[in-house]
Amino acid sequence: MELQAVLMAAGGGSRMTDLTYNTPKAMLPVGNKPLMWYPLNLLERMGFEEVIVITTKEVQKMMSTDPKMKLDVKMKLDVVCIQEDGDMGTADALRHIQQKIKTDILVVSCDLITDVALHEVVDLFRAHNATLAMLMSKAHEFTETVPGQKGKKKTAEQRDFVGVDQTGKRLLFMANEADLEDGLSIRKSIMRKHPRMHIKTGLVDAHLYCLKKAVVDFLADNKSISSIRGELVPYLVRKQFSKTTNCPKIKDDAEDQNQEKNDGSTNHELLISSRDEPLLQLAQERSCWNDHRGDMSEAYHGGKLRCYVHIMDEGPCYRVNTLAAYIEANRLAPKLFEEVPVHPSAVISERCQMGSDSYIGAMCQVAEKTSIKRSTIGNSTTIREKVKIANSIIMHGVTIEEGCNIQGSVICSNAVIGRGADLKYCLVGNGQQIEPEAERTNEVIVGTDQLMEI
């Protein structure tokens, strides 16, 4: 594989802090596998034999003991730890591993669950000799009721405006709704080359990028860029149509000039070239078989810096970065990989009613006269007699006493639910204890030092 794979697994999960209070986001159980298992599996199926994992010491320690990580992942994992408390963005993390980068890279986030044909993105990158190729998908409306949020007005997600050419592949323009208070304006330098541009909304960045090695070198010289998604990608998209020294001077509009001035504040220009550039240029000009005006015309006349996007129209593509996405992922992920509903080491009473869309993890004990429907039960969980569980996620090491009723809830690891408790649409934090006979509805039940942003 001519690309080096990089997995970003140091994020703190700031939009679901109760779930990540005792368990880092990368190791949250999804379908009884760590969340980071899914992008690693995607890379492995693509043929990668090694991946650089940028993470924290806490995640590294958990990876070394997790059975799924030890047994299922065959790739060599080159783990690089960064400061847990450091305010390090994704671009900062790439800068941190610059010495390890020897070729172009494929960067993927630890919270991505998808069955995308990864070669679609890589082929775009190769075929067009692109600086950047990225994956986007259509935004999903999560239909499940989120614990603690029933009846509350949802905060609207800010939309991205994405401009593509007529093929739907060349990425010409990107802006967030928050940046467009004065309306949507397109620079003349873009419109000259691409008079017809399709503006798409309702797309989500999957945080999967192919990048030239020159981009990593650029980041090493330019420490003002901290985030790949927030700063680097918009910068690369803008720079495609910036003036270069060998371009004829054309009078730009005021906005173009202002944008050039802002982009010029970076310390170094991004140089997409190599020592063999003059020879390659000569070869392109004199090769009779090169299709200068057909499919490959962009490679010759489209500028040296080119950005492309693969938009996934169908199939699952989720970023598990909110509680709603986490709930949806637990429904989806086991179906993607045709998981066995009951782990062989689980002990389940013959008089337990279990729906076909439920999954029970390793070392679980489920007593008689229990009912489990449309739920995921984590490893080493104990469920006593006459318990009803529906539409819920139970993490690892939970104890549910006799006669409990749990509906539409998320119970975090090591929690204890007292006898006869009735929980509806609740989120119970890590290690919390619910008193016997308690009746709770639509609550977030966490410790006083845990704050949940939902």
Side-chain angles (χ1 to χ4, degrees), residues 257-274:
Q257 291 172 4
N258 289 338
Q259 191 65 69
E260 294 291 343
K261 193 173 180 181
N262 292 338
D263 288 348
S265 64
T266 50
N267 301 331
H268 295 265
E269 278 299 305
L270 177 58
L271 300 174
I272 307 298
S273 61
S274 69

PDB file of all heavy atoms in Angstrom, residues 257-274:
ATOM      1  N   GLN A 257      -9.132  39.546  -3.258  1.00  0.00           N
ATOM      2  CA  GLN A 257      -7.919  40.173  -2.739  1.00  0.00           C
ATOM      3  C   GLN A 257      -7.854  40.051  -1.214  1.00  0.00           C
ATOM      4  O   GLN A 257      -6.802  39.777  -0.651  1.00  0.00           O
ATOM      5  CB  GLN A 257      -7.878  41.641  -3.164  1.00  0.00           C
ATOM      6  CG  GLN A 257      -7.658  41.806  -4.674  1.00  0.00           C
ATOM      7  CD  GLN A 257      -7.806  43.255  -5.106  1.00  0.00           C
ATOM      8  OE1 GLN A 257      -8.003  44.135  -4.274  1.00  0.00           O
ATOM      9  NE2 GLN A 257      -7.700  43.492  -6.397  1.00  0.00           N
ATOM     10  N   ASN A 258      -8.988  40.232  -0.555  1.00  0.00           N
ATOM     11  CA  ASN A 258      -9.013  40.092   0.898  1.00  0.00           C
ATOM     12  C   ASN A 258      -8.687  38.667   1.324  1.00  0.00           C
ATOM     13  O   ASN A 258      -7.968  38.438   2.283  1.00  0.00           O
ATOM     14  CB  ASN A 258     -10.394  40.471   1.457  1.00  0.00           C
ATOM     15  CG  ASN A 258     -10.645  41.962   1.367  1.00  0.00           C
ATOM     16  OD1 ASN A 258      -9.696  42.746   1.279  1.00  0.00           O
ATOM     17  ND2 ASN A 258     -11.908  42.352   1.371  1.00  0.00           N
ATOM     18  N   GLN A 259      -9.244  37.701   0.578  1.00  0.00           N
ATOM     19  CA  GLN A 259      -8.999  36.303   0.922  1.00  0.00           C
ATOM     20  C   GLN A 259      -7.531  35.957   0.726  1.00  0.00           C
ATOM     21  O   GLN A 259      -6.928  35.244   1.527  1.00  0.00           O
ATOM     22  CB  GLN A 259      -9.876  35.380   0.047  1.00  0.00           C
ATOM     23  CG  GLN A 259      -9.879  33.946   0.528  1.00  0.00           C
ATOM     24  CD  GLN A 259     -10.510  33.812   1.899  1.00  0.00           C
ATOM     25  OE1 GLN A 259     -11.709  33.995   2.057  1.00  0.00           O
ATOM     26  NE2 GLN A 259      -9.706  33.509   2.901  1.00  0.00           N
ATOM     27  N   GLU A 260      -6.947  36.464  -0.383  1.00  0.00           N
ATOM     28  CA  GLU A 260      -5.526  36.218  -0.629  1.00  0.00           C
ATOM     29  C   GLU A 260      -4.688  36.791   0.506  1.00  0.00           C
ATOM     30  O   GLU A 260      -3.716  36.201   0.948  1.00  0.00           O
ATOM     31  CB  GLU A 260      -5.098  36.878  -1.959  1.00  0.00           C
ATOM     32  CG  GLU A 260      -5.745  36.274  -3.199  1.00  0.00           C
ATOM     33  CD  GLU A 260      -5.253  34.868  -3.471  1.00  0.00           C
ATOM     34  OE1 GLU A 260      -4.214  34.491  -2.930  1.00  0.00           O
ATOM     35  OE2 GLU A 260      -5.923  34.149  -4.215  1.00  0.00           O
ATOM     36  N   LYS A 261      -5.117  37.955   0.967  1.00  0.00           N
ATOM     37  CA  LYS A 261      -4.370  38.608   2.047  1.00  0.00           C
ATOM     38  C   LYS A 261      -4.425  37.761   3.315  1.00  0.00           C
ATOM     39  O   LYS A 261      -3.429  37.570   3.999  1.00  0.00           O
ATOM     40  CB  LYS A 261      -4.987  39.991   2.300  1.00  0.00           C
ATOM     41  CG  LYS A 261      -4.126  40.910   3.164  1.00  0.00           C
ATOM     42  CD  LYS A 261      -4.753  42.296   3.211  1.00  0.00           C
ATOM     43  CE  LYS A 261      -3.915  43.225   4.078  1.00  0.00           C
ATOM     44  NZ  LYS A 261      -4.501  44.558   4.154  1.00  0.00           N
ATOM     45  N   ASN A 262      -5.624  37.213   3.612  1.00  0.00           N
ATOM     46  CA  ASN A 262      -5.774  36.372   4.802  1.00  0.00           C
ATOM     47  C   ASN A 262      -4.959  35.097   4.683  1.00  0.00           C
ATOM     48  O   ASN A 262      -4.290  34.673   5.617  1.00  0.00           O
ATOM     49  CB  ASN A 262      -7.252  36.004   5.023  1.00  0.00           C
ATOM     50  CG  ASN A 262      -8.067  37.220   5.398  1.00  0.00           C
ATOM     51  OD1 ASN A 262      -7.523  38.207   5.883  1.00  0.00           O
ATOM     52  ND2 ASN A 262      -9.364  37.152   5.159  1.00  0.00           N
ATOM     53  N   ASP A 263      -5.040  34.441   3.514  1.00  0.00           N
ATOM     54  CA  ASP A 263      -4.280  33.215   3.306  1.00  0.00           C
ATOM     55  C   ASP A 263      -2.784  33.487   3.322  1.00  0.00           C
ATOM     56  O   ASP A 263      -1.984  32.636   3.690  1.00  0.00           O
ATOM     57  CB  ASP A 263      -4.660  32.559   1.973  1.00  0.00           C
ATOM     58  CG  ASP A 263      -6.044  31.931   2.043  1.00  0.00           C
ATOM     59  OD1 ASP A 263      -6.564  31.811   3.172  1.00  0.00           O
ATOM     60  OD2 ASP A 263      -6.596  31.576   1.001  1.00  0.00           O
ATOM     61  N   GLY A 264      -2.405  34.679   2.921  1.00  0.00           N
ATOM     62  CA  GLY A 264      -0.992  35.022   2.875  1.00  0.00           C
ATOM     63  C   GLY A 264      -0.367  35.176   4.248  1.00  0.00           C
ATOM     64  O   GLY A 264       0.855  35.260   4.375  1.00  0.00           O
ATOM     65  N   SER A 265      -1.217  35.198   5.297  1.00  0.00           N
ATOM     66  CA  SER A 265      -0.690  35.353   6.647  1.00  0.00           C
ATOM     67  C   SER A 265      -0.001  34.089   7.141  1.00  0.00           C
ATOM     68  O   SER A 265       0.649  34.092   8.169  1.00  0.00           O
ATOM     69  CB  SER A 265      -1.817  35.721   7.608  1.00  0.00           C
ATOM     70  OG  SER A 265      -2.751  34.669   7.679  1.00  0.00           O
ATOM     71  N   THR A 266      -0.179  32.973   6.412  1.00  0.00           N
ATOM     72  CA  THR A 266       0.520  31.756   6.796  1.00  0.00           C
ATOM     73  C   THR A 266       2.004  31.915   6.516  1.00  0.00           C
ATOM     74  O   THR A 266       2.412  32.657   5.633  1.00  0.00           O
ATOM     75  CB  THR A 266      -0.029  30.557   5.990  1.00  0.00           C
ATOM     76  OG1 THR A 266      -0.035  30.898   4.604  1.00  0.00           O
ATOM     77  CG2 THR A 266      -1.429  30.209   6.429  1.00  0.00           C
ATOM     78  N   ASN A 267       2.802  31.170   7.273  1.00  0.00           N
ATOM     79  CA  ASN A 267       4.252  31.381   7.238  1.00  0.00           C
ATOM     80  C   ASN A 267       4.903  30.930   5.944  1.00  0.00           C
ATOM     81  O   ASN A 267       5.887  31.486   5.499  1.00  0.00           O
ATOM     82  CB  ASN A 267       4.909  30.631   8.404  1.00  0.00           C
ATOM     83  CG  ASN A 267       4.372  31.112   9.730  1.00  0.00           C
ATOM     84  OD1 ASN A 267       3.967  32.259   9.838  1.00  0.00           O
ATOM     85  ND2 ASN A 267       4.350  30.256  10.733  1.00  0.00           N
ATOM     86  N   HIS A 268       4.391  29.855   5.356  1.00  0.00           N
ATOM     87  CA  HIS A 268       5.010  29.289   4.168  1.00  0.00           C
ATOM     88  C   HIS A 268       3.932  28.931   3.160  1.00  0.00           C
ATOM     89  O   HIS A 268       2.831  28.539   3.521  1.00  0.00           O
ATOM     90  CB  HIS A 268       5.800  28.015   4.517  1.00  0.00           C
ATOM     91  CG  HIS A 268       6.968  28.280   5.417  1.00  0.00           C
ATOM     92  ND1 HIS A 268       8.241  28.471   4.950  1.00  0.00           N
ATOM     93  CD2 HIS A 268       7.039  28.396   6.762  1.00  0.00           C
ATOM     94  CE1 HIS A 268       9.062  28.680   5.981  1.00  0.00           C
ATOM     95  NE2 HIS A 268       8.344  28.638   7.090  1.00  0.00           N
ATOM     96  N   GLU A 269       4.258  29.023   1.895  1.00  0.00           N
ATOM     97  CA  GLU A 269       3.336  28.585   0.854  1.00  0.00           C
ATOM     98  C   GLU A 269       3.345  27.063   0.781  1.00  0.00           C
ATOM     99  O   GLU A 269       4.339  26.407   1.099  1.00  0.00           O
ATOM    100  CB  GLU A 269       3.768  29.163  -0.509  1.00  0.00           C
ATOM    101  CG  GLU A 269       3.307  30.586  -0.726  1.00  0.00           C
ATOM    102  CD  GLU A 269       1.806  30.723  -0.714  1.00  0.00           C
ATOM    103  OE1 GLU A 269       1.136  30.022  -1.480  1.00  0.00           O
ATOM    104  OE2 GLU A 269       1.293  31.515   0.087  1.00  0.00           O
ATOM    105  N   LEU A 270       2.241  26.493   0.375  1.00  0.00           N
ATOM    106  CA  LEU A 270       2.149  25.054   0.185  1.00  0.00           C
ATOM    107  C   LEU A 270       2.696  24.723  -1.194  1.00  0.00           C
ATOM    108  O   LEU A 270       2.116  25.111  -2.211  1.00  0.00           O
ATOM    109  CB  LEU A 270       0.692  24.612   0.320  1.00  0.00           C
ATOM    110  CG  LEU A 270       0.380  23.140   0.071  1.00  0.00           C
ATOM    111  CD1 LEU A 270       1.188  22.264   1.020  1.00  0.00           C
ATOM    112  CD2 LEU A 270      -1.084  22.883   0.279  1.00  0.00           C
ATOM    113  N   LEU A 271       3.800  24.027  -1.246  1.00  0.00           N
ATOM    114  CA  LEU A 271       4.447  23.716  -2.524  1.00  0.00           C
ATOM    115  C   LEU A 271       4.199  22.260  -2.870  1.00  0.00           C
ATOM    116  O   LEU A 271       4.725  21.356  -2.219  1.00  0.00           O
ATOM    117  CB  LEU A 271       5.946  23.998  -2.434  1.00  0.00           C
ATOM    118  CG  LEU A 271       6.329  25.448  -2.095  1.00  0.00           C
ATOM    119  CD1 LEU A 271       7.821  25.564  -1.884  1.00  0.00           C
ATOM    120  CD2 LEU A 271       5.872  26.395  -3.201  1.00  0.00           C
ATOM    121  N   ILE A 272       3.354  22.034  -3.863  1.00  0.00           N
ATOM    122  CA  ILE A 272       3.093  20.670  -4.304  1.00  0.00           C
ATOM    123  C   ILE A 272       4.019  20.399  -5.490  1.00  0.00           C
ATOM    124  O   ILE A 272       3.672  20.577  -6.652  1.00  0.00           O
ATOM    125  CB  ILE A 272       1.611  20.483  -4.720  1.00  0.00           C
ATOM    126  CG1 ILE A 272       0.697  20.947  -3.588  1.00  0.00           C
ATOM    127  CG2 ILE A 272       1.316  19.043  -5.074  1.00  0.00           C
ATOM    128  CD1 ILE A 272       0.846  20.187  -2.292  1.00  0.00           C
ATOM    129  N   SER A 273       5.196  20.039  -5.195  1.00  0.00           N
ATOM    130  CA  SER A 273       6.176  19.800  -6.255  1.00  0.00           C
ATOM    131  C   SER A 273       7.227  18.843  -5.733  1.00  0.00           C
ATOM    132  O   SER A 273       7.215  18.430  -4.583  1.00  0.00           O
ATOM    133  CB  SER A 273       6.825  21.123  -6.675  1.00  0.00           C
ATOM    134  OG  SER A 273       7.490  21.705  -5.582  1.00  0.00           O
ATOM    135  N   SER A 274       8.149  18.483  -6.590  1.00  0.00           N
ATOM    136  CA  SER A 274       9.242  17.603  -6.187  1.00  0.00           C
ATOM    137  C   SER A 274      10.490  18.003  -6.948  1.00  0.00           C
ATOM    138  O   SER A 274      10.471  18.871  -7.832  1.00  0.00           O
ATOM    139  CB  SER A 274       8.881  16.147  -6.504  1.00  0.00           C
ATOM    140  OG  SER A 274       8.863  15.944  -7.902  1.00  0.00           O
TER     141      SER A 274
END
